Amino acid sequence: MRTLTFCTLVFFAAGSLFADEYHNINGFFGERAAGLAGAYTAIAADPSGAFYTPAGLAYAYDNYYSLSASTYSETKKTYEGVFGPGQDYTRQSRTYLPNFFGAIRNIDELKLGLAVVTPQNEQFDQADQINFPQLVPNATSYRNDFSEDNTNILAGPSLAYALSDSFSIGASLFLDWQTRRILTTQYVGGASGSYSLTTIQDRRRTTGFKPVVGMQYMPTDELALGLSISKNFVTSGERRQSAILTTSASDSATGV
């Protein structure tokens, strides 16, 4: 009864959750986690626990290797009403890639893990046209050629220790590598034959570390609770941007 009451209080204490471009689940890592739709924080007893909850590695059976787990990922971003009522703009990415490698090894009472995770790999490449965009005055057409590549790779060791048969702690330290490249060409045509053409390039690269600490508690055979906390620390980065604007009346260019 106490366990049921505790779980009920935790459930109703949760606040509102929002997903956006920077706060969402991009994929499932590890074969067992994929089978549970990513609900793996409380029972992460295989190499993918290095990402979900490092403490779960403590209860993995013997040495464990996961050579590859592949994912088909589809990302869709819709900007509603960006050109006017009913004139939405949508970007879509489809990728298929191996996104996880992991291993666990017993060292006395400790479990040592190693994992390589690809939490993000998106590729957008499309050409779109909007006729008579309502929110662009005097324009009869808007065309946009857009390409974007986003990649994030995490790699590093993990360590887990079982304090008892029902409680464990663990930690991972990932090297965090991210790149992003955007290239877009936008053409706006007017009724009088005027036009504007804008080309934008944006390239970014960052490296850093992402520590993950976690705990796992199993009060009964039917119930498991897991908790993990992670944070990104950027140690170096580089970003280059450039923009070129050409119009029917004049030519100009800017660069960063």
Side-chain angles (χ1 to χ4, degrees):
M1 185 63 183
R2 291 182 179 179
T3 300
L4 179 60
T5 302
F6 173 78
C7 294
T8 303
L9 291 174
V10 170
F11 177 80
F12 285 104
S16 299
L17 300 177
F18 298 93
D20 58 29
E21 183 177 359
Y22 304 102
H23 301 86
N24 62 85
I25 298 175
N26 290 314
F28 306 134
F29 314 107
E31 58 274 14
R32 293 181 62 192
L36 293 171
Y40 205 51
T41 302
I43 189 170
D46 69 11
S48 64
F51 177 82
Y52 292 98
T53 308
L57 303 180
Y59 298 112
Y61 293 105
D62 207 2
N63 298 327
Y64 198 129
Y65 301 92
S66 180
L67 297 179
S68 178
S70 298
T71 292
Y72 170 78
S73 174
E74 181 172 326
T75 303
K76 186 176 182 180
K77 303 177 183 179
T78 300
Y79 304 86
E80 296 182 354
V82 68
F83 296 108
Q87 293 183 323
D88 302 340
Y89 179 62
T90 300
R91 294 173 180 168
Q92 194 162 2
S93 168
R94 295 184 179 92
T95 56
Y96 179 80
L97 73 160
N99 67 350
F100 177 77
F101 165 81
I104 301 175
R105 185 169 183 84
N106 292 318
I107 302 179
D108 295 329
E109 297 180 353
L110 297 175
K111 292 292 180 70
L112 178 64
L114 177 66
V116 178
V117 189
T118 307
Q120 186 175 35
N121 191 312
E122 298 175 335
Q123 297 177 350
F124 300 89
D125 188 8
Q126 61 191 82
D128 301 280
Q129 179 169 336
I130 301 292
N131 293 320
F132 299 101
Q134 301 176 41
L135 297 183
V136 183
N138 303 320
T140 59
S141 66
Y142 172 87
R143 295 200 298 268
N144 185 26
D145 292 330
F146 179 85
S147 66
E148 178 181 354
D149 294 324
N150 295 319
T151 302
N152 180 206
I153 299 176
L154 303 174
S158 303
L159 193 65
Y161 180 71
L163 298 174
S164 68
D165 292 338
S166 61
F167 186 78
S168 65
I169 57 176
S172 299
L173 182 61
F174 291 112
L175 173 65
D176 188 350
W177 181 71
Q178 299 185 40
T179 62
R180 185 177 190 182
R181 181 194 64 82
I182 296 177
L183 174 62
T184 179
T185 301
Q186 302 171 359
Y187 174 88
V188 179
S192 62
S194 63
Y195 70 89
S196 67
L197 182 67
T198 306
T199 300
I200 300 173
Q201 291 193 57
D202 188 353
R203 298 176 183 271
R204 185 192 61 157
R205 176 193 57 81
T206 60
T207 56
F209 295 93
K210 182 176 183 177
V212 183
V213 296
M215 55 172 284
Q216 185 171 311
Y217 176 52
M218 297 177 290
T220 69
D221 293 338
E222 294 79 21
L223 178 64
L225 303 174
L227 172 67
S228 66
I229 301 173
S230 64
K231 183 176 178 59
N232 294 81
F233 295 92
V234 176
T235 58
S236 65
E238 180 183 21
R239 186 173 187 179
R240 296 182 179 180
Q241 296 174 290
S242 65
I244 299 175
L245 171 63
T246 303
T247 69
S248 56
S250 63
D251 297 338
S252 62
T254 60
V256 179

